[in-house]
Amino acid sequence: MTAHDDARRDLAEMLHPLVRSLLAAERPVLAAHGITMWGYAVLGALDDGPVHTQAALCEAIGADRTRIIGTLDKLQADGLISRLPDPGDRRVRILSITDDGRRIRRSARAAIQANEDRLLALLPPAERRAFLNAVQILSELRPERINGIAPDSPET
């Protein structure tokens, strides 16, 4: 046995195959709902409330501003989002999810989570709760904290 045999694998090394498989499982669900992965991310961000600029939306979902325009155009054409001029600054568009967008997002999410529940059922209930709790906490950390740039503190 070498010194490396007892070392745990990196988080990214362990999570990457799982995340890749989860994303692959989501693609047909999203396609059946007429949306892409980026479309689903946009609908999710807007379901929390309107966003006042496309730049703010891109920042929230980690999208490139130049590449998200086509996604926004399709979502708007499909009636899933609206982009209305800001009364305070007509150069700015306020992005909002429509009732149809909310319905599509929630239906897709229910189908995605049904598959996740099937997968999570492989874990004993206490481990399932602990795993979901840990993932929730870690997913709320700022990138600076994950990268070690921000000091460790109780705040995310």
Side-chain angles (χ1 to χ4, degrees):
M1 177 182 262
T2 69
H4 296 292
D5 288 340
D6 63 346
R8 74 164 176 80
R9 293 169 39 208
D10 302 345
L11 289 176
E13 181 184 6
M14 289 187 284
L15 292 174
H16 185 264
L18 173 62
V19 170
R20 188 177 57 233
S21 295
L22 289 170
L23 290 171
E26 286 183 16
R27 283 188 186 93
V29 170
L30 297 175
H33 286 82
I35 55 176
T36 63
M37 197 67 72
W38 281 117
Y40 185 65
V42 167
L43 295 176
L46 296 179
D47 206 12
D48 292 334
V51 176
H52 287 276
T53 66
Q54 291 177 182
L57 173 67
C58 290
E59 174 81 20
I61 65 172
D64 182 288
R65 286 190 282 186
T66 60
R67 299 183 69 202
I68 200 73
I69 301 301
T71 299
L72 297 177
D73 289 344
K74 175 145 178 29
L75 291 171
Q76 184 176 13
D78 291 347
L80 304 181
I81 67 166
S82 65
R83 293 188 281 188
L84 301 173
D86 184 333
D89 183 350
R90 294 249 178 231
R91 297 170 295 171
V92 174
R93 299 279 181 227
I94 298 174
L95 291 87
S96 300
I97 191 169
T98 64
D99 289 341
D100 283 345
R102 190 169 282 109
R103 182 184 51 76
I104 291 290
R105 177 186 180 268
R106 291 185 179 162
S107 177
R109 182 183 225 181
I112 288 166
Q113 289 185 351
N115 184 56
E116 292 172 351
D117 289 343
R118 180 192 58 77
L119 178 65
L120 291 167
L122 298 172
L123 300 174
E127 287 184 27
R128 183 179 325 138
R129 284 189 301 276
F131 174 75
L132 289 172
N133 186 52
V135 170
Q136 181 70 40
I137 290 168
L138 294 174
S139 71
E140 293 173 358
L141 294 175
R142 295 187 326 268
E144 299 82 14
R145 183 90 185 276
I146 293 169
N147 295 328
I149 298 169
D152 289 336
S153 66
E155 303 87 35
T156 58

